[in-house]
Amino acid sequence: VAWALVALLAAATGVVQAGSVRATGNPHMEEDTCATEPCKCPAMMLNPFAAVSKPLATQEDTLIKIVKKSIMGFEVFIYHFKQPQRISELQLPFKILPMHTLDMEGVVDLKVPPHQSTDSWFPGYQWSILVCTKCQRSTHLGWRFESVTNPSEQFYALIVSYDDEEQTNTLAVGDAEKMGVAAEISIGTPAPGWMVAMVLAMAEGSTQTSPVA
């Protein structure tokens, strides 16, 4: 209810235009994703109330910076990471928004080997991959992070991008006083072939093991 009231107030005051959320896909690729209308994954509709507001411990060698953004007038924190070279030679950069909850309709949670999942941007948490299957092309939405010692403790990390035009400053590693604010945030990145293959394999396995009606 509170989220709906915020949306209505934002629309009435013009805040929606300044802090609108749109999904445009991977900044490294020029392919259609779940961002393409009329298809949109429910997980891509950001609720600022669900964003993780407390600081999270981060992996020192992969954190680039932390930036403060605005979603419909609510401040959230975007973590800029790069892939560790020990997992990927490309060391691609990602901007992620940690969320307490996520609408998992149409989203597949792909597990990875422990030696990879425990090499985590957030120490003490192991990661799995979130892929949306609702659209014609699967979209890599982000990751789920689960506590290694307490599996019931978890959060989600959405891949996002945003408009830098209104950004004034950033929170660099070790500099907690300097922050930047930007309005436009978009979500999602096209899933690579190997990830799509894993999703299809999971779906095929589920079909084969389902009881016959």
Short mmCIF file of all heavy atoms in Angstrom, two decimals, residues 25-60:
data_model
loop_
_atom_site.label_atom_id
_atom_site.label_comp_id
_atom_site.label_asym_id
_atom_site.label_seq_id
_atom_site.Cartn_x
_atom_site.Cartn_y
_atom_site.Cartn_z
N GLY A 25 18.80 -3.06 -20.67
CA GLY A 25 19.70 -4.17 -20.97
C GLY A 25 21.16 -3.87 -20.69
O GLY A 25 21.53 -2.86 -20.10
N ASN A 26 21.98 -4.77 -21.19
CA ASN A 26 23.42 -4.76 -20.94
C ASN A 26 24.11 -3.57 -21.60
O ASN A 26 23.98 -3.36 -22.80
CB ASN A 26 24.00 -6.06 -21.50
CG ASN A 26 25.47 -6.26 -21.16
OD1 ASN A 26 26.13 -5.37 -20.65
ND2 ASN A 26 25.97 -7.44 -21.45
N PRO A 27 24.87 -2.77 -20.86
CA PRO A 27 25.58 -1.66 -21.47
C PRO A 27 26.71 -2.12 -22.40
O PRO A 27 27.21 -1.34 -23.21
CB PRO A 27 26.16 -0.90 -20.26
CG PRO A 27 26.26 -1.93 -19.20
CD PRO A 27 25.08 -2.84 -19.41
N HIS A 28 27.11 -3.39 -22.32
CA HIS A 28 28.18 -3.93 -23.16
C HIS A 28 27.66 -4.59 -24.43
O HIS A 28 28.43 -4.98 -25.29
CB HIS A 28 28.99 -4.98 -22.38
CG HIS A 28 29.50 -4.48 -21.07
ND1 HIS A 28 30.44 -3.49 -20.95
CD2 HIS A 28 29.17 -4.84 -19.80
CE1 HIS A 28 30.68 -3.26 -19.67
NE2 HIS A 28 29.93 -4.05 -18.96
N MET A 29 26.33 -4.74 -24.54
CA MET A 29 25.75 -5.44 -25.69
C MET A 29 24.58 -4.64 -26.24
O MET A 29 23.96 -3.85 -25.54
CB MET A 29 25.27 -6.84 -25.28
CG MET A 29 26.37 -7.72 -24.70
SD MET A 29 25.74 -9.28 -24.04
CE MET A 29 25.16 -10.07 -25.54
N GLU A 30 24.27 -4.85 -27.53
CA GLU A 30 23.17 -4.15 -28.17
C GLU A 30 22.13 -5.14 -28.65
O GLU A 30 21.81 -5.23 -29.83
CB GLU A 30 23.68 -3.31 -29.35
CG GLU A 30 24.66 -2.21 -28.94
CD GLU A 30 25.11 -1.39 -30.12
OE1 GLU A 30 24.70 -1.73 -31.25
OE2 GLU A 30 25.84 -0.42 -29.92
N GLU A 31 21.59 -5.89 -27.70
CA GLU A 31 20.59 -6.90 -28.02
C GLU A 31 19.34 -6.67 -27.21
O GLU A 31 19.37 -6.12 -26.12
CB GLU A 31 21.13 -8.31 -27.74
CG GLU A 31 22.38 -8.63 -28.52
CD GLU A 31 22.83 -10.06 -28.26
OE1 GLU A 31 21.98 -10.97 -28.28
OE2 GLU A 31 24.02 -10.28 -28.05
N ASP A 32 18.18 -7.11 -27.76
CA ASP A 32 16.93 -6.96 -27.04
C ASP A 32 16.92 -7.86 -25.81
O ASP A 32 17.43 -8.96 -25.82
CB ASP A 32 15.75 -7.35 -27.95
CG ASP A 32 15.54 -6.33 -29.04
OD1 ASP A 32 16.03 -5.20 -28.88
OD2 ASP A 32 14.90 -6.68 -30.05
N THR A 33 16.34 -7.37 -24.74
CA THR A 33 16.23 -8.13 -23.50
C THR A 33 14.81 -8.02 -23.00
O THR A 33 13.92 -7.56 -23.70
CB THR A 33 17.20 -7.56 -22.43
OG1 THR A 33 16.70 -6.29 -22.02
CG2 THR A 33 18.60 -7.40 -22.97
N CYS A 34 14.61 -8.38 -21.75
CA CYS A 34 13.29 -8.25 -21.15
C CYS A 34 12.89 -6.79 -21.02
O CYS A 34 11.76 -6.48 -20.65
CB CYS A 34 13.25 -8.93 -19.79
SG CYS A 34 13.17 -10.73 -19.90
N ALA A 35 13.82 -5.88 -21.30
CA ALA A 35 13.48 -4.47 -21.24
C ALA A 35 12.56 -4.08 -22.39
O ALA A 35 11.87 -3.08 -22.34
CB ALA A 35 14.75 -3.63 -21.29
N THR A 36 12.58 -4.83 -23.46
CA THR A 36 11.81 -4.49 -24.65
C THR A 36 10.32 -4.66 -24.38
O THR A 36 9.88 -5.70 -23.97
CB THR A 36 12.22 -5.38 -25.83
OG1 THR A 36 13.63 -5.27 -26.01
CG2 THR A 36 11.51 -4.96 -27.10
N GLU A 37 9.56 -3.59 -24.61
CA GLU A 37 8.11 -3.68 -24.43
C GLU A 37 7.53 -4.61 -25.49
O GLU A 37 8.04 -4.72 -26.59
CB GLU A 37 7.48 -2.28 -24.55
CG GLU A 37 7.94 -1.33 -23.45
CD GLU A 37 7.48 -1.75 -22.07
OE1 GLU A 37 6.62 -2.66 -21.98
OE2 GLU A 37 7.97 -1.19 -21.09
N PRO A 38 6.41 -5.32 -25.21
CA PRO A 38 5.60 -5.19 -24.00
C PRO A 38 6.03 -6.14 -22.89
O PRO A 38 5.34 -6.28 -21.90
CB PRO A 38 4.21 -5.56 -24.50
CG PRO A 38 4.49 -6.59 -25.55
CD PRO A 38 5.76 -6.17 -26.22
N CYS A 39 7.17 -6.81 -23.05
CA CYS A 39 7.61 -7.78 -22.05
C CYS A 39 8.43 -7.08 -20.97
O CYS A 39 9.33 -6.31 -21.26
CB CYS A 39 8.44 -8.86 -22.73
SG CYS A 39 9.02 -10.13 -21.61
N LYS A 40 8.10 -7.37 -19.72
CA LYS A 40 8.87 -6.81 -18.62
C LYS A 40 8.81 -7.77 -17.44
O LYS A 40 7.75 -8.19 -17.02
CB LYS A 40 8.35 -5.44 -18.21
CG LYS A 40 9.22 -4.74 -17.19
CD LYS A 40 8.71 -3.35 -16.88
CE LYS A 40 8.89 -2.42 -18.04
NZ LYS A 40 10.31 -2.10 -18.31
N CYS A 41 9.95 -8.13 -16.93
CA CYS A 41 10.00 -9.02 -15.77
C CYS A 41 9.52 -8.26 -14.54
O CYS A 41 9.95 -7.13 -14.30
CB CYS A 41 11.41 -9.51 -15.54
SG CYS A 41 12.10 -10.47 -16.90
N PRO A 42 8.65 -8.85 -13.73
CA PRO A 42 8.20 -8.19 -12.51
C PRO A 42 9.36 -7.78 -11.60
O PRO A 42 9.30 -6.76 -10.92
CB PRO A 42 7.32 -9.26 -11.84
CG PRO A 42 6.81 -10.08 -12.98
CD PRO A 42 7.94 -10.13 -13.97
N ALA A 43 10.44 -8.57 -11.61
CA ALA A 43 11.60 -8.26 -10.76
C ALA A 43 12.26 -6.95 -11.15
O ALA A 43 13.02 -6.36 -10.36
CB ALA A 43 12.61 -9.40 -10.83
N MET A 44 12.00 -6.47 -12.36
CA MET A 44 12.65 -5.26 -12.85
C MET A 44 11.93 -3.99 -12.40
O MET A 44 12.42 -2.89 -12.62
CB MET A 44 12.74 -5.31 -14.38
CG MET A 44 13.54 -6.50 -14.88
SD MET A 44 13.46 -6.73 -16.67
CE MET A 44 14.68 -5.56 -17.21
N MET A 45 10.77 -4.15 -11.75
CA MET A 45 10.04 -2.99 -11.24
C MET A 45 10.53 -2.72 -9.82
O MET A 45 10.14 -3.39 -8.87
CB MET A 45 8.54 -3.27 -11.26
CG MET A 45 8.02 -3.61 -12.65
SD MET A 45 8.37 -2.30 -13.87
CE MET A 45 7.33 -0.99 -13.23
N LEU A 46 11.40 -1.74 -9.68
CA LEU A 46 12.05 -1.50 -8.40
C LEU A 46 11.12 -0.88 -7.36
O LEU A 46 10.39 0.06 -7.64
CB LEU A 46 13.26 -0.58 -8.59
CG LEU A 46 14.47 -1.18 -9.28
CD1 LEU A 46 15.58 -0.14 -9.35
CD2 LEU A 46 14.96 -2.41 -8.54
N ASN A 47 11.19 -1.43 -6.16
CA ASN A 47 10.52 -0.86 -5.00
C ASN A 47 11.60 -0.32 -4.08
O ASN A 47 12.33 -1.11 -3.46
CB ASN A 47 9.70 -1.95 -4.30
CG ASN A 47 9.03 -1.44 -3.03
OD1 ASN A 47 9.24 -0.31 -2.60
ND2 ASN A 47 8.22 -2.29 -2.43
N PRO A 48 11.76 1.00 -3.95
CA PRO A 48 12.85 1.54 -3.13
C PRO A 48 12.77 1.13 -1.67
O PRO A 48 13.78 1.10 -0.98
CB PRO A 48 12.69 3.06 -3.30
CG PRO A 48 11.28 3.26 -3.74
CD PRO A 48 10.93 2.05 -4.57
N PHE A 49 11.55 0.78 -1.18
CA PHE A 49 11.41 0.32 0.20
C PHE A 49 12.13 -1.01 0.42
O PHE A 49 12.48 -1.36 1.55
CB PHE A 49 9.93 0.16 0.56
CG PHE A 49 9.20 1.47 0.71
CD1 PHE A 49 8.27 1.85 -0.25
CD2 PHE A 49 9.46 2.32 1.76
CE1 PHE A 49 7.59 3.05 -0.13
CE2 PHE A 49 8.78 3.52 1.88
CZ PHE A 49 7.85 3.90 0.94
N ALA A 50 12.33 -1.78 -0.66
CA ALA A 50 12.96 -3.10 -0.54
C ALA A 50 14.47 -3.04 -0.67
O ALA A 50 15.15 -4.05 -0.49
CB ALA A 50 12.38 -4.04 -1.59
N ALA A 51 15.02 -1.87 -0.98
CA ALA A 51 16.47 -1.75 -1.15
C ALA A 51 17.19 -1.91 0.19
O ALA A 51 16.69 -1.46 1.23
CB ALA A 51 16.81 -0.41 -1.78
N VAL A 52 18.34 -2.53 0.16
CA VAL A 52 19.16 -2.70 1.36
C VAL A 52 19.79 -1.34 1.70
O VAL A 52 20.56 -0.80 0.91
CB VAL A 52 20.25 -3.76 1.17
CG1 VAL A 52 21.15 -3.84 2.40
CG2 VAL A 52 19.62 -5.12 0.88
N SER A 53 19.46 -0.82 2.86
CA SER A 53 19.92 0.52 3.22
C SER A 53 21.18 0.51 4.09
O SER A 53 21.90 1.50 4.14
CB SER A 53 18.81 1.28 3.95
OG SER A 53 18.41 0.57 5.12
N LYS A 54 21.44 -0.60 4.77
CA LYS A 54 22.63 -0.64 5.63
C LYS A 54 23.87 -0.95 4.79
O LYS A 54 23.80 -1.64 3.78
CB LYS A 54 22.45 -1.70 6.72
CG LYS A 54 22.44 -3.12 6.22
CD LYS A 54 22.36 -4.11 7.37
CE LYS A 54 22.41 -5.56 6.86
NZ LYS A 54 22.38 -6.54 7.98
N PRO A 55 25.04 -0.46 5.22
CA PRO A 55 26.29 -0.76 4.49
C PRO A 55 26.59 -2.25 4.52
O PRO A 55 26.37 -2.93 5.52
CB PRO A 55 27.34 0.04 5.25
CG PRO A 55 26.58 1.07 6.02
CD PRO A 55 25.27 0.45 6.35
N LEU A 56 27.10 -2.77 3.41
CA LEU A 56 27.45 -4.18 3.31
C LEU A 56 28.97 -4.32 3.19
O LEU A 56 29.62 -3.53 2.50
CB LEU A 56 26.78 -4.80 2.08
CG LEU A 56 25.25 -4.84 2.08
CD1 LEU A 56 24.74 -5.27 0.70
CD2 LEU A 56 24.74 -5.80 3.15
N ALA A 57 29.51 -5.32 3.88
CA ALA A 57 30.94 -5.60 3.74
C ALA A 57 31.22 -6.06 2.32
O ALA A 57 30.46 -6.84 1.76
CB ALA A 57 31.36 -6.67 4.75
N THR A 58 32.30 -5.58 1.73
CA THR A 58 32.58 -5.86 0.32
C THR A 58 33.98 -6.45 0.13
O THR A 58 34.87 -6.29 0.97
CB THR A 58 32.46 -4.58 -0.53
OG1 THR A 58 33.34 -3.58 0.00
CG2 THR A 58 31.03 -4.06 -0.52
N GLN A 59 34.15 -7.09 -1.00
CA GLN A 59 35.42 -7.70 -1.38
C GLN A 59 36.37 -6.59 -1.84
O GLN A 59 36.07 -5.85 -2.79
CB GLN A 59 35.16 -8.70 -2.51
CG GLN A 59 36.30 -9.64 -2.83
CD GLN A 59 35.89 -10.65 -3.88
OE1 GLN A 59 35.35 -10.30 -4.94
NE2 GLN A 59 36.11 -11.93 -3.61
N GLU A 60 37.51 -6.46 -1.19
CA GLU A 60 38.38 -5.32 -1.41
C GLU A 60 38.94 -5.23 -2.83
O GLU A 60 39.05 -4.14 -3.39
CB GLU A 60 39.54 -5.34 -0.40
CG GLU A 60 39.11 -5.11 1.04
CD GLU A 60 40.28 -5.04 1.98
OE1 GLU A 60 41.43 -5.19 1.50
OE2 GLU A 60 40.07 -4.84 3.20
#
